[in-house]
Amino acid sequence: MPWSVYALEHADPSVYGRISECVVDDELPSYFRMWDQDRIGGNVFYDDGARDGLALHLFGLPTLSQEAKERVGAAVVAASDGDFENASSLFCDLAAEYRVVGIIDEIQAQIFERLPSLDEDVLGTFAAKCVAEAAAKPLPKVGLSILELYGEPSMKLKLAMRTLGLSDEYTLFVMWNMRHWKFASTELFNLAKKVHGWGRIHIVNEIEADTDDIRRWLLLNGVDNRVAAFECAAACFVKSDAMRYLRSGMTYEEFVAVGKILAGLVEGPKSDVSEVEGWQDAIRLYAMDARRHELVLEDYGRLQHLAEHAAACGFEGFEEPLDSILRSKECVSCVAKAVEKGEGIESSMPSSDFSSTESSMRSALEERIKAVMAEWDDEGIYVISLWVTSWDDNPYEPIVILGYNTEAQVSAMTPKASSACEARWNFAFWLQNEELSFGGNLHKTPGDSPALVARWVRSVGFGLYTAQELESISLDDADEAISDGEGVTEAFYEVLVDVVRDLRSSGFIRDALGRDVPVIIHDLEYAEGIAERNIEANGDVLPAEFVAYCNGEC
């Protein structure tokens, strides 16, 4: 059945009722959605639970104003006074502005602050009704936020919570309750196995691995989710005691499972593996264990992924064990057979195709730009900036910084510029707000983007140099290093042009901002060719005045 039919046609209006009627074999079907998904922009949507997950893991929770805190207090008082209709309305309004995950701490703080004057029984009744009877999407989360303070619930309420937890949209709030229950680990473990998106990520990161069954499941299945392995790879590595398996020799099933965890550790924003004890030993042991197994294409792909990360980070002692496998006749044969079938892996071997590596970096950058731009609400934005710079002036470590400029900034800067045209188009007069930074130094820039860029640099045929290595390079090699550095910069610009064209052709910019806005790809001083590059990226959306400014004509 189509995912939207149930939500539109079912007679039971409550969230709990609609979820419970859709449970099949103690889980929700993969197609189940209760509402239209929140739009990021264009044809890109948030999955269930994604907005709460991203707020906790990436974007951070909002800071509440004093006025917002007072509104939370008023909602708590209304619930305690038995005015459930007003309380529900107040909480829904707050959730629309801040999401429930953004006000949960304040809800609980207001309850503690007002405890002597609140009717705890009535407040508890309101919370239970939110969980079991509410039809509005935020209210079960509100009820769960309140009930977390009430300790062990009744069996009837537990049943409702367990059922709500099957939806990734509510798993996080159910989890926060379950961790206070008797047999908390068992409850969380049972729920983790039944959810497959953000809900699983939340539980894996929270659960206490206090039994062999939990540790084994975290090893074999912990990073398997519909979102991304990196969101919980570190937790799986530590809690499953993966190092014990690496040191003792693994079955093929265990080898594959550990490989997925290790790959997850290096592929996302949580990829600072220096915080994971034993990381370098883990790669060496994994490479050594690989020789004991008959490997398939996916295994070689993971080994290549780890080899590239190790090289990019300057780890020592990794090349020989990894390269010996990746250059073995078994690997070459496996890849050759895959290529015949139209398959392949990201690789630096002679037969490889690097299109997937470039696509990986470009896709990651494009999705992060979309996620940030979707939150913009300034109606005065007239231009978007992709400022291309580099770490320590090293072209082999490029960075792109996303920002924008506004009509208000133009008005403020015009008296300081030589003309209104200069105030509008000279980057020196723009806000220079850093909404997103992508790329940088592998060791000093947080997140996974430096590793993604480093892998891309290698994939387009260039070596990797640090700024210090460039300073100490021999005169004989200097010309080639400089020329290659210029090649990296030019290729990086080409990727950005493709990203802008994708954002425009998909309609994302128009949908996100309500109008077409040019995206200017530039360096600090608008080097030669900047106008032509932006015409290619923006087409007829690029104002003629910008081209005139670049050509010194305004």
Side-chain angles (χ1 to χ4, degrees):
M1 102 183 138
W3 66 264
S4 60
V5 169
Y6 182 80
L8 296 175
E9 296 182 357
H10 199 273
D12 188 336
S14 73
V15 173
Y16 165 62
R18 284 184 283 172
I19 290 176
S20 61
E21 288 296 321
C22 277
V23 174
V24 177
D25 294 332
D26 217 19
E27 292 186 20
L28 289 173
S30 60
Y31 56 75
F32 176 81
R33 298 287 185 278
M34 286 192 60
W35 300 274
D36 287 337
Q37 294 168 283
D38 292 335
R39 183 185 295 271
I40 298 176
N43 294 317
V44 182
F45 299 87
Y46 288 105
D47 201 359
D48 285 352
R51 296 192 70 180
D52 290 340
L54 290 170
L56 288 173
H57 290 262
L58 185 60
F59 299 131
L61 298 177
T63 300
L64 300 185
S65 65
Q66 184 58 38
E67 183 264 347
K69 293 179 180 180
E70 291 172 358
R71 288 165 60 197
V72 173
V76 168
V77 170
S80 172
D81 289 345
D83 189 355
F84 293 173
E85 183 176 351
N86 185 35
S88 298
S89 177
L90 291 170
F91 277 124
C92 284
D93 288 344
L94 284 160
E97 292 181 49
Y98 301 101
R99 303 193 61 78
V100 178
V101 74
I103 61 172
I104 181 173
D105 288 344
E106 189 59 32
I107 290 173
Q108 295 179 350
Q110 289 286 342
I111 292 173
F112 282 123
E113 182 179 328
R114 301 169 184 268
L115 200 57
S117 61
L118 296 178
D119 189 322
E120 295 181 58
D121 291 337
V122 175
L123 183 60
T125 299
F126 168 77
K129 284 182 173 292
C130 285
V131 168
E133 301 175 16
K137 183 178 181 179
L139 290 179
K141 298 180 182 181
V142 172
L144 290 164
S145 301
I146 295 171
L147 289 172
E148 187 184 351
L149 305 178
Y150 278 70
E152 197 88 4
S154 66
M155 288 304 298
K156 183 178 180 180
L157 203 49
K158 272 189 177 181
L159 175 62
M161 291 185 187
R162 289 174 183 141
T163 302
L164 283 174
L166 297 176
S167 166
D168 288 293
E169 187 67 31
Y170 297 101
T171 312
L172 176 65
F173 295 83
V174 172
M175 178 192 79
W176 281 333
N177 276 264
M178 282 184 170
R179 64 186 178 179
H180 303 301
W181 295 1
K182 193 181 299 181
F183 311 118
S185 291
T186 300
E187 292 279 0
L188 291 172
F189 183 38
N190 289 337
L191 183 56
K193 291 183 286 186
K194 300 171 187 176
V195 287
H196 305 277
W198 277 100
R200 177 169 290 191
I201 290 168
H202 294 314
I203 296 177
V204 167
N205 285 322
E206 173 73 22
I207 194 169
E208 292 289 335
D210 51 11
T211 69
D212 289 338
D213 285 346
I214 294 176
R215 286 188 287 272
R216 182 72 177 175
W217 182 84
L218 288 171
L219 179 83
L220 299 179
N221 306 105
V223 296
D224 296 334
N225 61 70
R226 291 193 298 260
V227 182
F230 67 74
E231 292 288 357
C232 53
C236 289
F237 183 83
V238 174
K239 294 179 183 182
S240 70
D241 196 9
M243 285 300 295
R244 176 169 65 87
Y245 292 91
L246 284 160
R247 291 188 178 112
S248 60
M250 297 178 281
T251 65
Y252 179 68
E253 181 185 34
E254 293 163 351
F255 171 79
V256 171
V258 171
K260 290 191 293 186
I261 293 172
L262 292 177
L265 279 173
V266 304
E267 69 185 13
K270 298 180 184 301
S271 63
D272 184 6
V273 293
S274 62
E275 296 181 3
V276 178
E277 185 177 355
W279 159 249
Q280 296 195 33
D281 287 339
I283 284 211
R284 293 190 186 95
L285 292 168
Y286 183 72
M288 291 170 60
D289 198 82
R291 297 170 180 171
R292 301 174 52 249
H293 305 287
E294 184 175 341
L295 305 180
V296 298
L297 190 67
E298 278 189 327
D299 300 320
Y300 289 122
R302 276 190 288 269
L303 286 161
Q304 176 63 36
H305 183 53
L306 294 171
E308 289 176 347
H309 182 82
C313 289
F315 294 160
E316 297 180 356
F318 287 51
E319 296 83 354
E320 183 177 348
L322 289 170
D323 285 356
S324 65
I325 297 171
L326 293 169
R327 297 185 182 279
S328 67
K329 62 181 181 180
E330 291 83 5
C331 180
V332 172
S333 174
C334 181
V335 173
K337 290 178 182 177
V339 171
E340 289 177 5
K341 299 177 183 179
E343 302 171 354
I345 62 172
E346 297 175 12
S347 168
S348 58
M349 293 179 288
S351 61
S352 69
D353 175 357
F354 288 108
S355 60
S356 55
T357 301
E358 176 168 342
S359 175
S360 176
M361 182 192 78
R362 190 173 110 185
S363 297
L365 174 58
E366 192 169 324
E367 291 308 311
R368 291 173 204 189
I369 288 174
K370 287 179 178 180
V372 172
M373 285 180 57
E375 302 296 322
W376 291 352
D377 59 2
D378 192 326
E379 295 182 357
I381 297 173
Y382 72 90
V383 65
I384 299 166
S385 164
L386 287 179
W387 171 22
V388 179
T389 181
S390 60
W391 181 272
D392 204 11
D393 294 327
N394 178 14
Y396 293 90
E397 297 178 309
I399 302 169
V400 60
I401 297 172
L402 172 69
Y404 59 79
N405 204 41
T406 63
E407 295 289 356
Q409 178 72 1
V410 173
S411 298
M413 292 293 106
T414 297
K416 302 178 182 180
S418 62
S419 66
C421 178
E422 182 180 38
R424 178 170 292 274
W425 298 114
N426 187 340
F427 182 61
F429 292 100
W430 290 5
L431 292 169
Q432 299 188 15
N433 49 338
E434 186 175 314
E435 299 289 304
L436 169 72
S437 180
F438 191 96
N441 181 272
L442 282 163
H443 302 289
K444 298 181 180 179
T445 304
D448 69 322
S449 64
L452 288 170
V453 173
R455 293 178 65 202
W456 166 79
V457 170
R458 295 180 70 231
S459 78
V460 292
F462 299 107
L464 283 175
Y465 293 92
T466 64
Q468 292 74 20
E469 287 170 339
L470 284 177
E471 289 177 359
S472 60
I473 201 166
S474 68
L475 291 176
D476 292 338
D477 296 329
D479 288 344
E480 182 180 355
I482 292 170
S483 176
D484 282 356
E486 293 171 351
V488 170
T489 301
E490 187 61 32
F492 196 60
Y493 271 117
E494 290 175 5
V495 170
L496 297 181
V497 167
D498 288 341
V499 166
V500 172
R501 293 172 70 176
D502 285 350
L503 292 172
R504 189 162 310 292
S505 63
S506 69
F508 174 81
I509 295 176
R510 188 185 310 110
D511 290 341
L513 301 182
R515 60 202 179 282
D516 280 320
V517 174
V519 182
I520 306 300
I521 307 166
H522 62 94
D523 58 11
L524 191 59
E525 298 180 350
Y526 293 1
E528 183 180 354
I530 193 76
E532 291 77 7
R533 183 176 290 121
N534 282 286
I535 290 171
E536 182 184 356
N538 291 278
D540 58 10
V541 174
L542 188 72
E545 188 181 49
F546 174 78
V547 178
Y549 175 76
C550 291
N551 294 331
E553 298 170 1
C554 81

